[in-house]
DNA sequence: CGCCCATTTGACAGCTTTCAAATCGCGTGG
DNA sequence: CCACGCGATTTGAAAGCTGTCAAATGGGCG
């Protein structure tokens, strides 16, 4: 059963709500297509009529919008097990794009099948709803991050959040991991320029808050960085009630 | 039936998904408490254990977070018919606060009752899920607004969005309306200072994009402001598929 | 070895903030 | 009816964080 590319979706949803065997079987029975996507390729384009949703089976992706000046704002980063565009199951047109940050294995599921699943399996519907709520919680934190924190804090915050989510997804440890994004991605996620991100990263390093080797980041003192980042984990809602 | 304070919730959800009589009756049967809340009072506080969710029956409210420096970031504004903290039905603790912008009539519903409702009425569950997705769509646009637009554009964008939502909620026309927030609220929503908001508003006025009289705003040329604001309505998903 | 993308560095400009202080609007009380 | 008080708006001058525009450096790969 762990052979199915849908298995990560079950794991993900089980962390959102309590599922039973019937639920799990229904998920595994979803029609789906596994596709390999090259670095930089689009998974969804803003304006697309959405006919399917996508589960990230491996690799990293990010969502973004382009504003009129041509500048890009990255809205979120995603990793294995993330449902990157659940909104496409219920909203008509995509309001932003999703792009592969690395090479990606993507599992596509028809929107109608997902809607049916939600209609017939309340526990799954609840899990997906919660997943959407968590998505929203992270967006809110990003608004605060970009709106009210200085460059140093913004970047540290991003590093903390990414570390935490990597660890929670079982993809590494939060005190030492490989960053899949370039400094330009970090800039577009934090509302800064890549030049300023570069300088800020160097300051974080000389201040001893992080160590870097290429894209590899290690964090000598997690609490210290967390403090510098104003990173409170509450918004990640790691305390989900185990499907009470 | 329009006597129930829950009626606006039915109207709201009916714009999200197709409901039948059974659904409507179930909503009206929700246990609820109507409360009058004074300007500035908190409806939800960050960190609260959430035991209920809140429907705005009249007045305006906003959600916000406070960062370590003490600065406030406003995350969204809400008006009659909005479910301001649906996340509290499914997430354990509030990750941000909700505060009354004006005097407010708030209808509170126990979280368990809402969860039950979602479990037993798939169409309602879908409508609430869609509501959450729309919430998220607006958050994403705000990230882009705060992250990648200059002061003038950010503020114009806020004015356009608020106008559009007022009109959609049947609370006014988008080209002339009363802003319930102070310039400081606008500043905290756009990631600026109130001083700069003040200056930017004056520029928008001398440029003829808006007219002001106290908090009253009128927009002589909607298309022109919309363009200056980089305001594309797509993210509001006004094209919901009428519950296909 | 050469190309290309990512990172780093420099100098300078500029949008926005900061910190006051003045003005305005308006409800309250004398 | 007018003074008072207080929050909101407006205005000024100066500082500063971050952006801009190049150009140099570094590293991986064909």
């Amino acid at each position: 059963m762990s052979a199915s590319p849908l298995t990560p979706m079950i794991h993900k949803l089980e962390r959102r709500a309590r599922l039973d065997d019937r639920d799990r079987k229904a998920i595994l029975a979803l029609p789906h297509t596994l596709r390999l996507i090259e670095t930089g390729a689009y998974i969804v384009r803003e304006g697309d009529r959405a006919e399917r949703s996508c589960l990230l089976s491996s690799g990293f992706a990010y969502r973004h919008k382009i504003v009129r000046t041509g500048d890009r704002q990255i809205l979120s980063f995603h990793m294995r097990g993330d449902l990157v565009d659940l909104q496409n199951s219920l909203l008509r047109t995509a309001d932003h794009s999703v792009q592969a940050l690395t090479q990606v294995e993507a599992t596509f599921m028809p929107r109608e099948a997902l809607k049916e699943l939600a209609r017939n399996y309340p526990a799954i519907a609840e899990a997906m709803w919660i997943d959407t709520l968590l998505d929203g919680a992270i967006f809110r934190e990003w608004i605060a991050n970009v709106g009210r924190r200085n460059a140093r804090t913004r970047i540290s915050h991003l590093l903390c959040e990414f570390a935490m989510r990597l660890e929670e997804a079982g993809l590494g440890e939060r005190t030492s991991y490989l960053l899949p994004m370039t400094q330009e991605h970090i800039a577009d996620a934090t509302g800064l320029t890549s030049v300023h991100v570069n300088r800020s990263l160097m300051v974080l390093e000389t201040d001893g808050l992080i160590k870097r080797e290429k894209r590899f980041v290690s964090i000598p003192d997690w609490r210290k960085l967390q403090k510098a980042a104003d990173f409170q984990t509450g918004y990640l809602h790691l305390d989900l009630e185990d499907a009470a």
Side-chain angles (χ1 to χ4, degrees), chain A residues 67 94 101 110 127 153 161 170 178 188-189 222:
Chain A
V67 300
L101 183 56
T153 313
E161 181 188 297
L178 185 68
D188 287 348
W222 173 260

Side-chain angles (χ1 to χ4, degrees), chain A residues 104-198:
Chain A
V104 153
E105 286 180 299
T107 305
F108 292 99
M109 299 158 284
R111 67 189 254 127
E112 275 311 324
L114 280 165
K115 286 175 77 165
E116 270 312 308
L117 189 69
R119 283 197 199 101
N120 299 325
Y121 299 85
I124 298 177
E126 182 172 317
M128 293 198 290
W129 184 12
I130 291 178
D131 196 70
T132 300
L133 286 165
L134 294 178
D135 233 41
I138 295 178
F139 290 140
R140 288 192 289 272
E141 184 68 22
W142 279 43
I143 294 176
N145 203 38
V146 170
R148 284 290 181 233
R149 295 193 180 111
N150 64 25
R152 176 195 168 94
T153 313
R154 271 186 232 184
I155 295 168
S156 310
H157 194 281
L158 178 61
L159 293 178
C160 284
E161 181 188 297
F162 196 78
M164 204 77 183
R165 288 178 52 206
L166 268 183
E167 188 171 89
E168 203 223 338
L171 294 171
E173 33 183 335
R174 66 181 182 210
T175 55
S176 116
Y177 58 91
L178 185 68
L179 264 185
M181 56 280 230
T182 66
Q183 294 181 5
E184 191 163 356
H185 287 123
I186 297 175
D188 287 348
T190 51
L192 299 164
T193 59
S194 61
V195 171
H196 202 57
V197 166
N198 181 269

